Amino acid sequence: MRLIGIDTPELSGRECYAQQAASAMQSLVQSKSVRLVRDPSQADRDNYDRLLRHVALVDGRQVAQILTTKACLIKGNIASDGEKIYHLPGQRYYDVTKISESKGERWFCSESQARDAGWRPAEL
């Protein structure tokens, strides 16, 4: 399958950033329910016979939009006791963790950024 709107380097050709692109996609969809949506303005398949589809998460967010506009996917959550904990995509409570910026919670672009700001990783 090929994600509509995203042109990434090929893993098979060992192109630059191919592994990073694959990891970003994996962190968003692995072990999660997604919805594949056909786009009537696109062909059904590409030149390599891969399905062309939009991919939506169960909460309605479009994966292509997340990949292109929001690289900061680490959730910085404040527990009821005030402890600052960050959650990575794919972790146990990531999908149910909501970020309320008005309460001081925030998004981070890297684990080092979260740790430097005084947040600890979520327990696995």
Side-chain angles (χ1 to χ4, degrees):
M1 195 209 69
R2 185 78 178 180
L3 183 61
I4 294 173
I6 300 292
D7 184 17
T8 61
E10 298 291 335
L11 282 169
S12 61
R14 296 187 182 197
E15 296 179 22
C16 293
Y17 300 106
Q19 187 58 56
Q20 292 88 333
S23 295
M25 182 67 172
Q26 182 179 12
S27 72
L28 287 171
V29 299
Q30 185 176 19
S31 301
K32 296 182 181 148
S33 294
V34 297
R35 195 167 43 94
L36 302 179
V37 181
R38 187 178 189 290
D39 186 333
S41 71
Q42 302 281 324
D44 189 50
R45 294 183 177 268
D46 69 6
N47 294 338
Y48 301 99
D49 203 34
R50 296 175 292 199
L51 284 175
L52 294 171
R53 295 293 186 264
H54 292 287
V55 177
L57 300 176
V58 290
D59 64 6
R61 293 182 299 152
Q62 295 293 318
V63 170
Q65 184 178 18
I66 294 169
L67 288 171
T68 58
T69 62
K70 195 165 194 176
C72 302
L73 299 176
I74 299 172
K75 295 179 177 182
N77 178 253
I78 301 175
S80 58
D81 64 0
E83 188 174 19
K84 295 178 177 180
I85 305 165
Y86 67 84
H87 302 266
L88 302 173
Q91 286 184 326
R92 184 174 173 188
Y93 296 108
Y94 183 86
D95 290 335
V96 297
T97 300
K98 305 298 180 206
I99 299 303
S100 175
E101 292 178 357
S102 65
K103 295 180 182 176
E105 297 175 332
R106 55 189 282 201
W107 296 91
F108 295 102
C109 299
S110 69
E111 286 189 78
S112 61
Q113 181 187 33
R115 285 190 303 271
D116 290 347
W119 302 65
R120 73 157 177 85
E123 295 175 2
L124 299 177

